[in-house]
Amino acid sequence: QVQLVESGGGLVQDGGSLRLSCAASGRSFSEYNMGWFRQAPGKEREFVAAINWSGVSEYYADSVKGRFTISRDNAKNTVYLEMNNLIPEDTAVYYCNAGVDVYSRIGSKDYWGQGTQVTVSS
């Protein structure tokens, strides 16, 4: 069982950068694939990036590939999302998920954080 808390969101200009963090509590963090999802107003929550339990494999949505980087530090029970070259279309609430299926890119049902707002001004 894992509890997740996202942080690091904020307001940036077009072309700027942010790093999001997802701090996890629980004894089994290192056993979970981890992912980032986002949801813009009026839209469905969508997959952004995922990383397998060991950190060996990374997966990205086409819309962020080459701009975002996911990483994890199992010793610190933390997952990161480095976001570079941000554009207004990246504006959304970003959520961390534990147990994401990295092949189907579907988040697990039970383990979500509260979300952190990212706003990119034009």
Side-chain angles (χ1 to χ4, degrees):
Q1 190 162 340
V2 179
Q3 289 76 47
L4 307 171
V5 179
E6 301 94 335
S7 62
L11 174 64
V12 298
Q13 289 189 336
D14 190 354
S17 298
L18 284 172
R19 190 175 81 156
L20 307 183
S21 297
C22 173
S25 61
R27 298 176 64 186
S28 58
F29 172 77
S30 63
E31 298 180 1
Y32 288 91
N33 299 327
M34 300 296 297
W36 288 96
F37 294 74
R38 67 187 183 186
Q39 188 167 22
K43 295 184 178 180
E44 188 83 6
R45 190 172 299 185
E46 66 177 354
F47 171 83
V48 175
I51 189 166
N52 83 320
W53 68 270
S54 67
V56 170
S57 300
E58 302 168 22
Y59 309 83
Y60 297 96
D62 288 343
S63 60
V64 306
K65 188 176 182 180
R67 300 189 297 120
F68 292 9
T69 302
I70 189 171
S71 62
R72 69 189 297 164
D73 187 338
N74 287 345
K76 297 181 178 179
N77 286 359
T78 303
V79 178
Y80 306 95
L81 185 68
E82 180 72 32
M83 305 185 294
N84 299 312
N85 299 316
L86 285 161
I87 57 176
E89 289 75 15
D90 295 320
T91 295
V93 177
Y94 284 71
Y95 297 90
C96 182
N97 178 259
V100 58
D101 186 313
V102 299
Y103 299 108
S104 69
R105 302 186 173 187
I106 298 174
S108 70
K109 188 175 182 179
D110 297 328
Y111 304 124
W112 295 93
Q114 84 290 344
T116 186
Q117 176 71 48
V118 172
T119 303
V120 185
S121 62
S122 60

